[in-house]
Structures are given as C-alpha cells and as structure tokens.
Amino acid sequence: MKFCVCIKQVPDVTAPIQVRDGALVMDAGRVVLNAYDASAVEAALVLTEQHGGEVEVVLVGPERATETIRKALAMGAHRGTHLVVDEGTPLDSHAVSALLARHFEGAGCDVILTGKQAQDTDAGLAGGMLAERLGLPYATNAVGLALEGDTVVVTRQGDTGQEVIALPTPCLVTCSNDMNDPRIPNLRGVMQAKSKPLASERVAEVPAPRVRVLGYEPLPQRAPGVRLDGEPAEQAAEVVRRLAEEARVI
Amino acid sequence: MPTILSYVAVQNGKPTRSSLEALSRAREVARARGADLAAAVLAPDAAAHADELGRYGAATVYAVSDPIFRSHLNTPVLAGLEAVIARAQPEAVVFPSTEGVKDVLGALAVRTAAAVLPDVARFEVAGDGAVEALRPVMAAKFLARVRAEGKPVLVSVRAGSYEASEAPAEARVEAVPFAFDEGSLRQTLREVVSSAAGAVDLSDARVVVAAGRGVKDAEGKRLVEELAGVLGAAIGASRAVVESGMFPATAQIGQTGKVVSPDLYVGVGISGAIQHVAGMANSRVIVAVNQNPDAPIFDVATYGIVGDLYKVLPPLIEAIKQRKGTS
Ligand SMILES: Cc1cc2nc3c(=O)[nH]c(=O)nc-3n(C[C@H](O)[C@H](O)[C@H](O)COP(=O)(O)OP(=O)(O)OC[C@H]3O[C@@H](n4cnc5c(N)ncnc54)[C@H](O)[C@@H]3O)c2cc1C
Ligand SMILES: Nc1ncnc2c1ncn2[C@@H]1O[C@H](COP(=O)(O)O)[C@@H](O)[C@H]1O
C-alpha cells in the first residue's frame, strides 16, 4: 500500500502571539508540524509496519517549511514532496487542495491521509475538498484506522457516537489526534531523514484563495470572576447560593 | 427574491439546538436582505419537521426523505444537499457546525463551486452578497475577520453563537426527489457505536459537567456523575481523561472535541489548557474546581473554587440537592 500524507507547517499556537494593527505578530521561528497531521503520519507508519508499503509526505509551503518534511521523515516516512510557494503567499483550504489534487493526479496513492484540521486556522476543509476533486470516497475525523486486505476501516468520531466505515482503496481519510500518540523522532531517525528522497517542486501558479482575511482581533475578554474561599462546605454553599441567586442558572 | 438556505441537522428525531440557532440567525439575515428563508432537512421523514421549522420562520422547507439518513454517511448527505442547492439557488447556505456538517462541508463547496467559511462565531451577508464572518483561530485565542464571495457561500456556525428564537411563518414543504443508488455508495457503514442510547449531544446541553485529569479514579468519576445527575447535566471531558479511556471521545470538549456553550459549565480537575478553553469559553457561567490556585481555568471562571475535588464535590452535591429540594 502506498500512503500519501498531507502535512502542514503551522505556527506554534502556545507561543506568545499579539495583534498589532489587525495583524498577528509572533515569532516566525516557532513553527510545528500540525498535530493532526503528525497523527496521520503516525497512523500511516503503523499500518505500513504491519502490512508493508510506503509513506510519502507532501507539503505546500515556503522554502523554510522543509524542516517540517524532515521531521516527518525522521518519524519514519519514506519520502517527501515539497510544493514550494513564495513566503507569505496567501493560501486557504481551497487553494491548497487544488495544488494537492494536481500533485496526486496519477501519483498512485492507495490511501491519502490528511489532518482533520489545521491547528492554526481550524478550517477542516482541505481533506474533503481534496477527496471531491479527486473523486475519492472519504471519511473524516478518524479516531481509528485499520486495514483488512484492500479495505480501509475507519472509526470516525461523529456527533453522538462513533461510526465504523469501510472504504475501498483508493480513498482519503482525515485524522484526529485522538487516534494515536505520534512518535518523537529519535537520533537515528533524524540522521536517516537527511538522506531520504525529498523532491522539491516550485509551484508555477497558486490558485487564488476564496477566503480573504481582513484582519485579526483579540477575543473579547470574559468579565472577571470571583474566587470562593473557605472550607469545602462553605465554598459549596456559597457557589450554590450564587448560582441560584446571582447567575440564576440552577 | 434571493434565498438564504439553512441546513437543519436532525438527531434522535429532532432538529438539534445548534440547527435552530443557525436557522434563527439565517432568518435575521434574510429579513435584513429582503430574502426568503428556506430550510433543508435530510431525514427518513423530512417533511415531518416542517411545522417546527415554520415556527422558526422558514417559508419553504426542502424535504429530502430517505431511510438512508437514519445514520450519517457523507455520500448521501452530499447528494441530498447538492440537490437542494440546485433547486433553491441560494445566495448563502447556513449550517450548524456539527461533526456531520464538518464531514461534508469541504466536498460540498467543491461540488457546488461555493466559497466556504467554516465554524464562525458571527456572520453577516454584505450588500453585495458576500459573507463576512468572525472565526476563532489560533486555538480560539483570536478572531479572524474573513470575507468570501460566491454563489453560494457556505457558512457553518459554532454552537451557542446565536440564540434560537421563534418567529412563526407558514412553511411550504417542497419534497425534493431523491433516488439514491446504494450500489454507487463506495462506503459501507458497518456499525454505529453510541456512547449512550438517545444521549443528548453535548453541544446541545444547557448544563455541562466536565471532568479532567484531577478525576483520578472510579470514586472521582462517580462524584462527577452524581454532580451531573443532580444538575441534570451532560458529561463532558478533557482530552487527558478521554485519552486515558475514562471517558468516551464523544465527551471531549475543545479544539479537537466539541464546542459547548451551556448556561452552566462546571469544570472539575481541569487545568484549562487553551485547546480545552477553545471549546467552552463561550459558556454563560463557568464554575471551576481545581486545587491549583494558578490553574489557567480560573482566568475564565465566573466562580472559582480552589480545592480538592474529592473534598469539594460531596458537599456541593448535597447543597445542590437541598437547593433543588430533592433531598
Ligand atoms: C492539537 C491539540 C488539540 C487538543 N484538543 C483538546 C481538546 O479538544 N480538549 C482538551 O481538553 N484538550 C485538548 N488538547 C490537550 C490540552 O492541551 C491539554 O493537554 C488537556 O486539556 C489537559 O487536560 P486536563 O486539564 O484534564 O489535564 P491537566 O492539564 O493535567 O490538568 C489537571 C488539573 O487537575 C488539577 N487537579 C489534580 N488533582 C486534583 C484534585 N484532587 N482536585 C482538584 N483539582 C485537581 C490539577 O491542578 C490540574 O490543573 C489538545 C492538544 C493539542 C495539541
Ligand atoms: N499547506 C499544506 N500543505 C499540505 N497539506 C496541507 C496544507 N494545508 C492543509 N493541509 C492538509 O489539510 C488538512 C486540513 O487543513 P485545513 O483545511 O486548512 O484545516 C491539514 O491537516 C493537512 O493535512
């Protein structure tokens, strides 16, 4: 089986971030492999370890995003493709999925994996868009993934429970980080990654994004709360009184 | 006259609360634009929901009825929505941001050549028909003001962003012919594992009690369940206790999990990591029980109780029972 995993380099959302003049200001050096994509890579590695096959990772991003591909290679992916765009090129799920679809046309992937969403924008669209562009059956928000011969069995987290869905190959699955705990690359993996094949292709024409970001603003703050002190019984009595008389929710 | 279409998700035979919120917002937008409000329902007997949707102001209900909609599967939902959009030719389609909707939104946008704004906290249809919205980004630390143009524009609304409000209209039902060829389904639904039969969707709950890693054992879990019981609450959880297997993934609140916006959220032994807060910061009243006075959950709590949950929950449960007169 050939697994193709779409990975995105995202800003570290736990780093200090500010809004200045409607723009987000953060340390451009603090970037990570999107957590959901790390889970997708992990799932592909586990399945190829069990059933054989190969894992290719594909990333759309500027030159410096190569380090994120190396990270996936260090985890154990076999090869990488970097679709290079200029630094600061506006991209959205629409544009990215169009570029990825062009890349996957005829690439012979049996299973395409994406994250369920990018950790920075939480759009959660590129996977479904890519599946539709390629005409593939797909499942989203996978918390479990298994192979039964050529059939891909996905456990997806739905609204009130989990759905177990069987898909033929080729197909596409978007992955939740609830699926697994991605491995941390060890030194050997990091060394090996340096000599793994990494194809770099400059994107000639980036499709125009359909979503325009007009600006950023801080989230409105919640009104400051109160701390309730004392012994547990006193705290309990006080919070219940306030919930009933002040907040009127019980 | 232009049409604003609102998709209504049905669970356990009823439109979800988040669907009625989205429909109510769609009605306000339609009214401001002088547009018609239509609702789309995909269900085994979709027309049965028309009266209720009329109460929320839908003038037309596009009913796609098929037994296949008893369980969620993306292929038929996509086909059904594509058929309704082709018929209604809406300017904008408003969705509740449920897992079922997230499953189809990207593919639907490509199929209908639509622009799409997912998971918004606010939206507006501008004079030129473009949709402008505020979306939480960066684990909901910031709001991005975004704009999309197209016909249609798809927009999905986070639970709790708007109030559901009635404004009765006479709903006309339009049955949308739907013949789904099951042979063309390239996916098989093998099984649906529900966490609890007929359980309320957490996103629809008015009161939520959520457990975190501070809940360490069966005794802690029992206390959480008892607290939820006396409050009539749905039980939520942090990722830590979903990972450990103590609570089902369906209960997870946050960036990976669900967005909840109940009247009352009680977090027990939860630190308040940004990825968790991303899913509950919009709750009206937040109570936090945590033994660490510096836990970030206290930054968003309306009422903070610094203390050991094993010592705080028993008297809290008693006090609520007494207040509610059930002891
Ligand atoms: C991409 C991504 C997505 C994520 N999505 C989610 C998500 O959807 N939902 C989510 O919850 N997390 C999510 N996380 C994980 C998140 O970062 C935290 O790891 C998680 O929320 C921690 O859960 P917790 O608060 O239960 O555990 P901890 O952070 O370990 O906190 C436990 C708390 O319990 C308190 N405590 C311990 N014992 C007691 C006691 N006896 N009495 C009272 N208090 C006690 C401690 O003081 C502590 O504050 C995500 C992370 C990533 C990277
Ligand atoms: N620039 C990118 N390069 C490669 N894959 C991407 C990129 N952006 C998004 N993806 C994939 O699409 C998924 C969903 O992204 P999004 O629609 O942006 O939330 C991500 O988890 C990735 O797997």
Side-chain angles (χ1 to χ4, degrees), chain B residues 134-176:
Chain B
L134 286 173
R135 306 190 56 242
V137 294
M138 300 288 162
K141 277 206 268 191
F142 298 95
L143 292 170
R145 187 173 287 281
V146 291
R147 175 182 163 91
E149 289 160 28
K151 194 175 181 221
V153 178
L154 316 181
V155 54
S156 68
V157 184
R158 299 179 123 212
S161 300
Y162 293 99
E163 284 288 322
S165 60
E166 299 190 3
E170 192 68 48
R172 181 179 62 87
V173 176
E174 196 164 323
V176 179

Side-chain angles (χ1 to χ4, degrees), chain A residues 34-36 119 177, chain B residues 211-216 237-241 252-258 268-277 289-292 295-297 307-310:
Chain A
N34 184 32
Y36 302 98
Q119 222 176 326
N177 58 342
Chain B
R213 206 193 310 266
V215 177
K216 294 185 187 75
S238 74
R239 175 138 195 266
V241 289
Q252 186 171 179
I253 294 170
Q255 190 180 16
T256 294
K258 292 186 168 149
V268 179
I270 289 182
S271 62
I274 53 167
Q275 296 92 349
H276 182 81
V277 172
V289 181
N290 194 306
Q291 66 187 11
N292 174 6
I297 189 87
D308 179 349
L309 70 94
Y310 289 87

Side-chain angles (χ1 to χ4, degrees), chain B residues 43-90:
Chain B
D45 181 10
H49 305 288
D51 286 347
E52 175 162 13
L53 302 179
R55 278 212 306 283
Y56 288 85
T60 308
V61 172
Y62 290 96
V64 189
S65 298
D66 196 290
I68 198 156
F69 297 124
R70 213 176 296 279
S71 303
H72 173 82
L73 206 51
N74 56 33
T75 312
V77 173
L78 274 166
L81 284 170
E82 185 187 10
V84 175
I85 289 172
R87 213 172 238 246
Q89 293 289 320

Side-chain angles (χ1 to χ4, degrees), chain A residues 6-8 34 37 58-60 93 96 114-115 117-118 123-126:
Chain A
C6 305
I7 60 173
K8 183 183 182 188
N34 184 32
D37 304 353
V58 184
L59 177 143
V60 181
S93 314
V96 164
T114 73
Q117 65 206 49
L125 296 168

Side-chain angles (χ1 to χ4, degrees), chain A residues 13 36 116 120 122 132 138 140 157 159 162 164 166 168 177-178 212 214-215 217 222 226 228 246, chain B residues 74 99 103 111 138 141 143 145 147 186 188 190-191 193 239 252 255-256 258 281 283 302-304:
Chain A
V13 295
Y36 302 98
K116 76 162 183 147
D120 53 345
D122 285 341
E132 177 70 17
Y138 73 95
T140 63
Q157 183 60 49
D159 285 297
Q162 297 184 346
V164 182
N177 58 342
D178 285 340
R212 200 143 60 87
L214 306 177
E217 41 197 85
R222 288 183 68 91
V226 291
L228 306 174
E246 199 171 77
Chain B
N74 56 33
E99 289 302 340
D103 193 29
R111 192 172 292 185
M138 300 288 162
K141 277 206 268 191
L143 292 170
R145 187 173 287 281
R147 175 182 163 91
R186 287 173 302 159
T188 322
R190 286 200 180 162
E191 195 186 347
V193 189
R239 175 138 195 266
Q252 186 171 179
Q255 190 180 16
T256 294
K258 292 186 168 149
S283 305
T302 321
Y303 303 118

